[in-house]
Every structure is written in structure tokens, then in C-alpha cells.
Amino acid sequence: MNNKDNNGLLSQIDYSAATAVSTAANYIMNAAEPFTHTYRTYLRLRESGSLTLKLWHSNSVDSTWDLGQEAKGSEPGGEWEIEAAYIADGGLVPDGTVTPGTQVAVTFNGAGSRQVAPGECFWSDAAELELPEGHFLAFTWTIRTLKPGKSFPYNVEDMLVSGYDAEGSLAGNETAEGFTESEKLLVAPSYIGYKKQVAKKLVLLGDSITQGVRTEKNAYTYWAARIAEGLGTDYGLWNIGSGWGRAYDVAADGPWLNKAKQGDEVLMVLGVNDLDIGKRTADELLGDLAAIVIKIKAANPAASVILSTVPPFNFAEERETCWRTVNAAIRSNPPSGADRVFDIAAILSEPSPLEHRIRPEYMSNEFDPHPNGHAGKAVADAFLAWYGQAD
């Protein structure tokens, strides 16, 4: 992250993102009554061994879900409380338990609990954990809402990692008793960092395709995770892909773009949802992409911005025309300030004249054009070969 304090995101320049999993928020909890609930998430970290970890959280929705009836980009979360939080050795199998005796309390300014205000951003204290090679990190916290209605933001896309949840205050429990496996309920901190000096911090800003939606759970086969593995741990990589996200959410210059501004380099892979559910014109989408580049550069003139073409998503008719127009413009005349263009569409697309369609072997299933794990490998291999040309 950079050395600026942007909207409460305090500088922690000696920390780097510990996982390639995105925990961007695209939904918000909305309950008829106050409640207390515990959430346990299993994450594969980029390194193991003796780790110093810190958590950072943004109590705001990043990107709009659907048409915004339930959750809109930049919407602040409500008031709620972290009753208790722990990190632990999650073992080799994410089964709802943690390795006995390994839970370490996460504190906030020395306290084990914390009240969270609407739209607030905050860090935890540092916590030490010994994580054996091949083991998952288990993060568990109990959250108490203070009143009916909207409270904490979370991610509602298909689960890419194993998560469990339970009624009541069970954060300190090592067993799986009372927990059930979560479905479309990723409730986790916005950022899990570990103490690590890296050569460069790369932020991956995108939608569900960047997030990795529809790839195999706990397999880390989506292209963002494969790029992280290929670059190695001398590079920091923060995945902030968010299902159903769109460029105009980012261009609004809210919490989601604030996250992107923390990178030394930002890879933007946006536009599918703008053209699809957002019904943006080619000019509108290109304008939003240009605005994002300008705002990243304004926050950090030294940052490098890589703009990707819009992935194919089996568009038709007017949407196909817009897709072709946008990608032609990105390739030939990218927005001012974009340092490089990565052509993800050329990797995923069928041969001309069907390049608006994703190759069938890369689809999640015969009806879903979200890229699968095979596509993730193809994109990551191409990106790593291409990225190295600038070094």
C-alpha cells in the first residue's frame, strides 16, 4: 500500500496482502431483528511459517449488486460490533474446526472487541501465528448487530473458499459444533496483510471474472490466484475483484477505488457488467475507464495502470457492438494515463468473426460464460509472459 492515509486507510507499507482471495463487498446484511452470529473462513495464504498478520476493514459496500435494490456501490455499512476475532491454524482440511491450541486473539488498539461505525475504515493490531506449510488460515469472528436493518457488508457470490457460520458467540470455539457450511456468505475482513517487504504491490481491480467466480472451491485456479503464484512472494498482490462490479462503481471514487489507489500498479479488468446489466454505451464505459485512470494517477502519480480489454461474455446485438467498439478503442487509443494494455479478450475469445464469444472449453458450463480454471491458467500464463516483457 502507498504511504498516504486515504479515507482512513492508514499506511502500513511493510505489510502485503496475505492471500489472493478477494473479500471485496457487494452486498450488505439486512435483518429484521438484531442478532449475534459467528463466521469462520478458511484461506490459503501466500506464505507459511512464522507470520505477523494485520487485518484492515472497510465498513462499506464496494460494488453494486444486481440493479442496486439491496446494495449499491459506496453504500456505507451500519453500526455493528466485533465481539471477538481470532486467527488460527485451520489444518489441512477446512472442516469447520481449528487446530487445538492455535487460536490467537485479534485485538484492536489492545481491546478484544470493537464498535464499528458506518463507513468506517480501521486496522487491527499485529498478531503472531505459526502456520505449517500446506495448512489453511482460519479466521473467525463474532459479529453483533445493534439494531434492525442494514449492518455489515459482505460478499454474496458463490463461495470460492470454505466458510462456516453459527448462531451466537462461538468465535473462541475450536470445534465445528454449532457451525454449518456457508453458502454465498463470505464475511471476512477487507484485507488480510502479513509483514512482508515486496518489490511491488499489484492490485487486481475487476468483477466476478477477477474474483474467480465459478471456479472450483479452495482450488485457487482462477487467473488472479495463478498470477500471484507465478509472480512469487517478492510481489504483493491484492485481488479486489467483486462479483457484478462495474466501472461506474469504481469511477464514483468511493471505497472500492480507494482500495485500488493503494497499489504501485493496478490491473483493471472491467466492463462486462457495464455493458450487460448496466446497459452502458461504449462511450459511457470508455469515459468511466478514463476517469478511473485519472483518479488513480491523481492519488499516486508514480502508480502504473494496466488497462485490460473487456473479456468476451457471449454478447449479442447492440451489446456485442458496444463490446467491439470498446475493445477496439482500448487496443488502438487507450485512455490517457494508461501505461500498458493487456489483451485478455484475445486469450479467451473464439477466432474471428466470433471473438465476442468465449471459447467453449473456457466456459464454466455450457450456459455460463464465466471463465473456468482452464481459462485461468491460459490467462495467467499469457499475462506472466507478457508482464515480464516490461522488466
Side-chain angles (χ1 to χ4, degrees):
M1 294 182 184
N2 68 26
N3 58 4
K4 296 179 181 179
D5 183 357
N6 289 312
N7 297 332
L9 184 48
L10 184 65
S11 166
Q12 298 286 339
I13 58 175
D14 52 349
Y15 280 76
S16 181
T19 180
V21 175
S22 173
T23 55
N26 59 14
Y27 214 71
I28 191 166
M29 185 61 66
N30 192 352
E33 299 292 338
F35 65 89
T36 301
H37 213 82
T38 301
Y39 304 90
R40 176 168 288 166
T41 305
Y42 292 83
L43 302 164
R44 185 78 70 191
L45 299 193
R46 299 193 67 201
E47 293 198 55
S48 55
S50 297
L51 302 172
T52 301
L53 298 165
K54 272 192 175 185
L55 313 176
W56 176 83
H57 195 60
S58 168
N59 186 27
S60 296
V61 177
D62 291 309
S63 66
T64 300
W65 179 259
D66 197 1
L67 292 174
Q69 303 97 320
E70 293 295 331
K72 293 183 179 180
S74 302
E75 178 180 357
E79 294 180 275
W80 46 281
E81 179 184 2
I82 301 170
E83 276 197 358
Y86 294 90
I87 53 173
D89 174 3
L92 291 167
V93 179
D95 59 3
T97 68
V98 302
T99 302
T102 66
Q103 281 202 310
V104 176
V106 176
T107 60
F108 307 88
N109 291 324
S113 62
R114 194 187 194 285
Q115 296 281 126
V116 182
E120 184 182 11
C121 301
F122 59 93
W123 283 95
S124 76
D125 302 323
E128 310 285 337
L129 180 70
E130 186 71 30
L131 190 67
E133 185 175 356
H135 286 217
F136 288 90
L137 172 79
F139 173 75
T140 312
W141 57 354
T142 293
I143 291 175
R144 182 172 70 92
T145 63
L146 305 180
K147 56 186 177 182
K150 293 185 175 183
S151 54
F152 54 87
Y154 67 100
N155 195 285
V156 75
E157 274 286 8
D158 290 339
M159 299 289 284
L160 287 167
V161 297
S162 290
Y164 293 80
D165 61 275
E167 293 185 5
S169 303
L170 301 183
N173 288 24
E174 296 177 336
T175 72
E177 185 177 355
F179 286 89
T180 57
E181 193 162 7
S182 305
E183 292 187 15
K184 298 188 175 184
L185 188 67
L186 179 58
V187 184
S190 302
Y191 176 88
I192 299 174
Y194 74 123
K195 198 167 189 178
K196 173 77 175 182
Q197 290 284 356
V198 294
K200 184 183 290 185
K201 294 184 177 180
L202 175 62
V203 174
L204 304 186
L205 170 63
D207 51 36
S208 58
I209 294 172
T210 302
Q211 186 178 349
V213 167
R214 308 288 189 272
T215 59
E216 184 182 353
K217 182 186 287 189
N218 296 318
Y220 294 73
T221 59
Y222 45 96
W223 59 262
R226 291 183 185 272
I227 287 172
E229 183 178 5
L231 287 175
T233 56
D234 284 341
Y235 283 79
L237 186 142
W238 189 16
N239 181 0
I240 56 172
S242 185
W244 237 331
R246 50 214 83 169
Y248 62 77
D249 282 330
V250 188
D253 206 3
W256 199 17
L257 180 55
N258 182 52
K259 293 178 180 180
K261 290 175 181 177
Q262 311 311 308
D264 302 315
E265 192 163 52
V266 182
L267 170 59
M268 296 167 45
V269 188
L270 292 161
V272 165
N273 296 305
D274 296 82
L275 297 176
D276 187 13
I277 192 168
K279 299 290 189 270
R280 304 291 269 182
T281 65
D283 285 344
E284 287 172 332
L285 174 52
L286 288 167
D288 288 332
L289 294 173
I292 295 167
V293 174
I294 289 170
K295 289 168 182 175
I296 290 172
K297 294 281 189 174
N300 183 5
S304 177
V305 177
I306 301 170
L307 179 60
S308 172
T309 50
V310 181
F313 213 69
N314 296 354
F315 292 118
E317 299 175 346
E318 181 186 2
R319 299 297 94 198
E320 176 193 340
T321 300
C322 289
W323 178 87
R324 289 180 180 275
T325 300
V326 169
N327 278 352
I330 290 174
R331 291 181 179 118
S332 63
N333 186 28
S336 176
D339 295 277
R340 302 176 73 190
V341 170
F342 176 61
D343 198 349
I344 194 173
I347 301 158
L348 297 175
S349 290
E350 289 199 54
S352 179
L354 299 177
E355 59 265 41
H356 60 291
R357 300 189 64 83
I358 185 172
R359 291 175 182 266
E361 65 268 27
Y362 289 160
M363 291 176 60
S364 296
N365 60 54
E366 61 179 315
F367 305 109
D368 189 342
H370 279 89
N372 59 24
H374 299 298
K377 183 178 189 306
V379 170
D381 288 349
F383 178 86
L384 292 166
W386 171 88
Y387 186 73
Q389 296 172 7
D391 295 336

